[in-house]
Amino acid sequence: IASWSQKAAWADGNFGDIVVTPLTHLTVDVTDATTHMPLDAEIILVPTPATSRDQVHGTENGYFDRNCAPYLGAPHASAPACNRALAYNGHTAMSLLPGNYWVYATAGPSRTIARQQVSLTEGADGHATLALTALPGIYPDGSLAADFHVHSGRSFDITLPANDRVETFITSGIDVIAATEHDVVG
């Protein structure tokens, strides 16, 4: 809340200098390490020690502070959100503050995790390419991975949009889900 002295100073319409840091743009491509085909995956960004979390942390108007660093979007909105994005068909793009980041890709327990460090400077574009390897034997042959208790933004206790909720299961290697929304049939 602004003090009375700040409000009086603003009465003339002079709010002082507003400094806006130009965003950088990062594209991430994820492939299967053996076939080199695009792979649906979840992307997670984490600042390296060279970049302070405070430099790239964000909230939605001070609300929903879930320690999003870097802040890619509201944590309860469509991807990218908080510090995560979904790579549909092995590709995603996002805008973020300059800094040094670890870019992680995961596609569930039946694949490896990959990471790459990127350094993004003001106004520059960056790119990360990550390859994930299948881990045979995690699931018995012929089995399906499933979750029979799934909520999405249609329920009061979760805000993730239904389409993104389904995509998070796809990127995790889950084959079957059962929607169990609260008081809603969808």
Side-chain angles (χ1 to χ4, degrees), residues 21 36 67 95 98 104-105 115-116 140 174 178:
T21 302
H36 307 291
N67 221 3
S95 298
Y104 291 86
R115 80 173 183 172
Q116 179 181 338
I174 303 297

mmCIF file of all heavy atoms in Angstrom, residues 21 36 67 95 98 104-105 115-116 140 174 178:
data_model
loop_
_atom_site.group_PDB
_atom_site.id
_atom_site.type_symbol
_atom_site.label_atom_id
_atom_site.label_comp_id
_atom_site.label_asym_id
_atom_site.label_seq_id
_atom_site.Cartn_x
_atom_site.Cartn_y
_atom_site.Cartn_z
ATOM 1 N N THR A 21 12.712 -5.365 -17.426
ATOM 2 C CA THR A 21 13.788 -6.187 -17.968
ATOM 3 C C THR A 21 13.269 -6.921 -19.199
ATOM 4 O O THR A 21 12.242 -7.597 -19.119
ATOM 5 C CB THR A 21 14.261 -7.215 -16.927
ATOM 6 O OG1 THR A 21 14.693 -6.517 -15.756
ATOM 7 C CG2 THR A 21 15.391 -8.064 -17.472
ATOM 8 N N HIS A 36 15.184 -40.988 -31.835
ATOM 9 C CA HIS A 36 15.306 -39.559 -32.154
ATOM 10 C C HIS A 36 13.967 -38.937 -32.548
ATOM 11 O O HIS A 36 13.924 -37.868 -33.137
ATOM 12 C CB HIS A 36 16.362 -39.313 -33.240
ATOM 13 C CG HIS A 36 17.675 -39.931 -32.918
ATOM 14 N ND1 HIS A 36 18.486 -39.472 -31.898
ATOM 15 C CD2 HIS A 36 18.311 -40.999 -33.450
ATOM 16 C CE1 HIS A 36 19.571 -40.228 -31.826
ATOM 17 N NE2 HIS A 36 19.494 -41.162 -32.750
ATOM 18 N N ASN A 67 6.614 -20.345 -4.633
ATOM 19 C CA ASN A 67 8.044 -20.316 -4.849
ATOM 20 C C ASN A 67 8.406 -20.598 -6.294
ATOM 21 O O ASN A 67 9.294 -21.383 -6.581
ATOM 22 C CB ASN A 67 8.737 -21.295 -3.895
ATOM 23 C CG ASN A 67 10.000 -20.702 -3.343
ATOM 24 O OD1 ASN A 67 10.321 -19.553 -3.618
ATOM 25 N ND2 ASN A 67 10.729 -21.473 -2.572
ATOM 26 N N SER A 95 8.766 -17.688 -22.439
ATOM 27 C CA SER A 95 9.453 -16.431 -22.183
ATOM 28 C C SER A 95 9.779 -16.373 -20.703
ATOM 29 O O SER A 95 8.947 -16.732 -19.870
ATOM 30 C CB SER A 95 8.559 -15.248 -22.564
ATOM 31 O OG SER A 95 8.256 -15.284 -23.938
ATOM 32 N N PRO A 98 16.059 -13.145 -17.856
ATOM 33 C CA PRO A 98 17.436 -13.593 -18.096
ATOM 34 C C PRO A 98 18.015 -14.267 -16.856
ATOM 35 O O PRO A 98 17.667 -13.926 -15.724
ATOM 36 C CB PRO A 98 18.188 -12.293 -18.384
ATOM 37 C CG PRO A 98 17.145 -11.304 -18.758
ATOM 38 C CD PRO A 98 15.897 -11.706 -18.048
ATOM 39 N N TYR A 104 15.337 -29.351 -17.068
ATOM 40 C CA TYR A 104 15.124 -30.787 -16.872
ATOM 41 C C TYR A 104 13.974 -31.251 -17.754
ATOM 42 O O TYR A 104 13.016 -30.514 -17.968
ATOM 43 C CB TYR A 104 14.743 -31.099 -15.421
ATOM 44 C CG TYR A 104 15.848 -30.899 -14.417
ATOM 45 C CD1 TYR A 104 16.079 -29.660 -13.842
ATOM 46 C CD2 TYR A 104 16.648 -31.971 -14.036
ATOM 47 C CE1 TYR A 104 17.082 -29.483 -12.913
ATOM 48 C CE2 TYR A 104 17.663 -31.800 -13.104
ATOM 49 C CZ TYR A 104 17.871 -30.549 -12.543
ATOM 50 O OH TYR A 104 18.875 -30.374 -11.626
ATOM 51 N N ALA A 105 14.068 -32.477 -18.223
ATOM 52 C CA ALA A 105 12.964 -33.114 -18.939
ATOM 53 C C ALA A 105 12.707 -34.470 -18.306
ATOM 54 O O ALA A 105 13.643 -35.211 -17.996
ATOM 55 C CB ALA A 105 13.295 -33.284 -20.420
ATOM 56 N N ARG A 115 18.998 -33.354 -18.324
ATOM 57 C CA ARG A 115 19.115 -31.946 -17.970
ATOM 58 C C ARG A 115 20.214 -31.298 -18.795
ATOM 59 O O ARG A 115 21.155 -31.961 -19.241
ATOM 60 C CB ARG A 115 19.352 -31.748 -16.486
ATOM 61 C CG ARG A 115 20.763 -31.953 -16.028
ATOM 62 C CD ARG A 115 20.925 -31.580 -14.578
ATOM 63 N NE ARG A 115 22.332 -31.719 -14.206
ATOM 64 C CZ ARG A 115 22.832 -31.327 -13.076
ATOM 65 N NH1 ARG A 115 22.060 -30.775 -12.176
ATOM 66 N NH2 ARG A 115 24.104 -31.479 -12.810
ATOM 67 N N GLN A 116 20.047 -30.001 -18.959
ATOM 68 C CA GLN A 116 21.024 -29.201 -19.690
ATOM 69 C C GLN A 116 21.046 -27.815 -19.078
ATOM 70 O O GLN A 116 19.994 -27.279 -18.715
ATOM 71 C CB GLN A 116 20.636 -29.105 -21.172
ATOM 72 C CG GLN A 116 21.571 -28.281 -22.009
ATOM 73 C CD GLN A 116 21.118 -28.209 -23.467
ATOM 74 O OE1 GLN A 116 20.372 -29.049 -23.944
ATOM 75 N NE2 GLN A 116 21.559 -27.182 -24.173
ATOM 76 N N PRO A 140 5.767 -54.732 -16.158
ATOM 77 C CA PRO A 140 5.719 -56.061 -16.792
ATOM 78 C C PRO A 140 5.178 -55.952 -18.221
ATOM 79 O O PRO A 140 4.374 -55.074 -18.530
ATOM 80 C CB PRO A 140 4.738 -56.839 -15.905
ATOM 81 C CG PRO A 140 4.708 -56.106 -14.606
ATOM 82 C CD PRO A 140 4.964 -54.667 -14.933
ATOM 83 N N ILE A 174 1.523 -42.501 -18.226
ATOM 84 C CA ILE A 174 0.308 -43.143 -17.708
ATOM 85 C C ILE A 174 -0.621 -43.412 -18.881
ATOM 86 O O ILE A 174 -0.921 -42.520 -19.667
ATOM 87 C CB ILE A 174 -0.391 -42.258 -16.655
ATOM 88 C CG1 ILE A 174 0.561 -41.937 -15.500
ATOM 89 C CG2 ILE A 174 -1.675 -42.909 -16.156
ATOM 90 C CD1 ILE A 174 1.028 -43.139 -14.710
ATOM 91 N N ALA A 178 -8.838 -42.329 -14.602
ATOM 92 C CA ALA A 178 -10.267 -42.264 -14.311
ATOM 93 C C ALA A 178 -10.550 -40.920 -13.644
ATOM 94 O O ALA A 178 -10.004 -40.631 -12.579
ATOM 95 C CB ALA A 178 -10.684 -43.407 -13.396
#
